[in-house]
Amino acid sequence: MTQAQIIGWGHTVFGKSDHPDTESLMADAVAQALAHAQIGAEDVDGIFAGVFNNGFSKQDFQGALVAMGDARFAHTPATRFENACATGSAALHGAMDFIEAGRGRIALVVGAEKMTATPTADVGDILLSASYRAEEADVEGGFAGLFGQIAQGYFQRYGDRSEELAMIAAKNHANGIANPYAHMRKDFGVSFCNTVSEKNPRVAGPLRRTDCSLVSDGAAVLVLADAETAATMTRAIGFRARVQANDIMALSRRDVLEFRGARMAWAKALEEAGLSLDDLSLVETHDCFTIAEMLEYEAMGLAEAGQGHRVIRDGVTHKTGRLPVNPSGGLKSKGHPIGATGVSMHVMAAMQLTDEAGDMQIDGAKLAGVFNMGGAAVTNYVSVLERVK
């Protein structure tokens, strides 16, 4: 079976965008991706679009919007994917399956979201649809409230780790300064992130504003090709592993602090790749909230349950640490346009492996891990990437 490989990408700046909608955002990123991969629209055999939407726009049927932005795709098969905050990775897996089944040679993975035009209160309610509404619809504070409860539960079981959460936030904001695509390129420092103030109020439970990712607009695109085609291109990034693992949606039916689905996805991906965490040069992980990154340290195996705080305190995940985590700034600094996030994370990892990450670059990066999740670790995707050309 041929293996799908990344041969190019495009990425808009994340933040409050002048682009009026996902159609415009996708057109921008697609044009960049075609140029970067040095291919034409006529070379593309399939389009896999990841857009969460769910009320951000009355316009849906988002897969068809790619051709509205570039009429050369009018007759190219296009399909839209949705899998909560892991929507982009779901689209990526769909495109890889398409290529590896022999149905096409080149595919576009297009992730996008337009969020900032929606009132803040409505954004929270829309995102709460990534939880089990039958039981969790009345959580105060929307999706942030859900992770506020998770943080509170973690503190009750393992002790108050507010300062360590602030250290995670400060790390990611410091990294984000070097990312030209990031929504917020500002170093706040640990003290600011750890202090409740008018500029950094509590949002939900123990979580402060600096513990929460940003509401952003943006699009990212990956160009995939089969291995034979990729071998003729300028660059090729292969997948040593790609894994999806789910967990039950309702929080009442599991111990959410285990992040069991994430733990399973990481274990299976490392086994499939024949690697350990020590082999990885960097990880891009899903820090929708700082408590999520801490739990992900434990899920990936950097620490035992309840000991994630030691990872950040010991500097393990800093850019100069043993395993840099989120050298891009992560969702915390880069922003979190839902459908674009999983695609963007893979773009950031691929840039590192081809030495195209500019000031974000981790010297000598050879292997990169990516973890993208939907909901509170309900659907979990792990990729292990390596450069093959």
Side-chain angles (χ1 to χ4, degrees):
M1 179 181 73
T2 186
Q3 295 290 316
Q5 298 176 357
I6 298 168
I7 61 169
W9 51 79
H11 201 297
T12 71
V13 176
F14 285 3
K16 187 174 177 59
S17 176
D18 290 334
H19 286 289
D21 47 33
T22 55
E23 178 184 331
S24 176
L25 284 162
M26 290 190 287
D28 185 348
V30 165
Q32 293 181 43
L34 295 177
H36 189 246
Q38 297 179 304
I39 63 168
E42 68 279 2
D43 298 314
V44 176
D45 299 310
I47 297 168
F48 297 78
V51 183
F52 178 65
N53 196 11
N54 197 44
F56 285 125
S57 170
K58 289 185 178 181
Q59 175 66 63
D60 221 330
F61 201 6
Q62 297 273 337
L65 290 180
V66 178
M68 293 302 298
D70 186 336
R72 294 175 297 172
F73 294 117
H75 305 296
T76 306
T79 307
R80 181 269 191 93
F81 288 72
E82 183 277 313
N83 217 7
C85 305
T87 286
S89 289
L92 171 62
H93 275 225
M96 293 183 72
D97 290 344
F98 172 77
I99 288 172
E100 292 174 3
R103 295 181 57 214
R105 298 176 68 87
I106 294 179
L108 294 184
V109 182
V110 185
E113 212 74 58
K114 177 70 179 181
M115 302 174 71
T116 65
T118 302
T120 302
D122 292 342
V123 170
D125 186 59
I126 288 170
L127 295 180
L128 198 57
S129 293
S131 67
Y132 187 53
R133 278 193 177 271
E135 296 180 3
E136 297 154 15
D138 296 327
V139 171
E140 187 175 351
F143 207 63
L146 205 68
F147 271 87
Q149 290 183 358
I150 292 170
Q152 190 61 54
Y154 189 93
F155 290 2
Q156 289 172 353
R157 186 178 300 180
Y158 300 117
D160 189 328
R161 298 302 174 195
S162 295
E163 186 172 18
E164 288 85 0
L165 296 188
M167 294 170 73
I168 290 171
K171 167 183 71 74
N172 290 346
H173 276 294
N175 288 348
I177 291 173
N179 187 348
Y181 303 108
H183 184 154
M184 187 172 289
R185 302 175 68 185
K186 185 175 182 179
D187 186 355
F188 288 102
V190 176
S191 179
F192 177 84
C193 294
N194 196 39
T195 303
V196 176
S197 65
E198 184 179 348
K199 293 185 176 180
N200 189 29
R202 291 201 185 277
V203 174
L207 299 181
R208 300 142 299 196
R209 181 175 290 164
T210 50
D211 292 306
C212 307
S213 59
L214 301 158
V215 173
S216 309
D217 308 326
V221 175
L222 289 164
V223 185
L224 302 182
D226 61 62
E228 182 181 352
T229 303
T232 68
M233 299 296 178
T234 302
R235 68 188 65 75
I237 304 296
F239 287 74
R240 283 283 289 268
R242 63 174 177 106
V243 170
Q244 178 187 1
N246 271 45
D247 204 346
I248 197 74
M249 192 176 192
L251 298 185
S252 65
R253 294 176 58 185
R254 60 186 166 116
D255 180 356
V256 70
L257 300 185
E258 289 183 1
F259 262 37
R260 188 178 181 190
R263 194 177 298 270
M264 292 171 64
W266 266 110
K268 186 175 180 182
L270 291 171
E271 179 183 11
E272 186 177 298
L275 301 169
S276 72
L277 280 179
D278 290 336
D279 296 312
L280 300 182
S281 306
L282 68 130
V283 168
E284 287 289 334
T285 202
H286 193 103
D287 60 319
C288 50
F289 300 92
T290 52
I291 185 61
E293 181 164 328
M294 185 176 288
L295 284 164
E296 287 155 21
Y297 292 164
E298 298 171 12
M300 72 174 74
L302 284 175
E304 297 296 321
Q307 300 300 306
H309 63 284
R310 295 182 181 274
V311 176
I312 189 67
R313 280 209 170 272
D314 292 344
V316 172
T317 55
H318 282 262
K319 192 172 180 180
T320 55
R322 176 166 60 87
L323 181 61
V325 172
N326 287 335
S328 70
L331 284 59
K332 184 74 225 31
S333 174
K334 178 160 58 78
H336 185 20
I338 306 299
T341 289
V343 183
S344 171
M345 295 170 82
H346 285 84
V347 170
M348 295 294 120
M351 290 172 69
Q352 291 283 354
L353 299 178
T354 57
D355 200 28
E356 296 179 60
D359 291 339
M360 296 183 285
Q361 188 66 50
I362 302 297
D363 290 340
K366 302 295 184 186
L367 292 158
V370 176
F371 173 73
N372 179 208
M373 72 178 180
V378 177
T379 187
N380 305 273
Y381 293 84
V382 174
S383 300
V384 178
L385 306 179
E386 66 177 346
R387 185 174 186 174
V388 295
K389 182 181 178 182

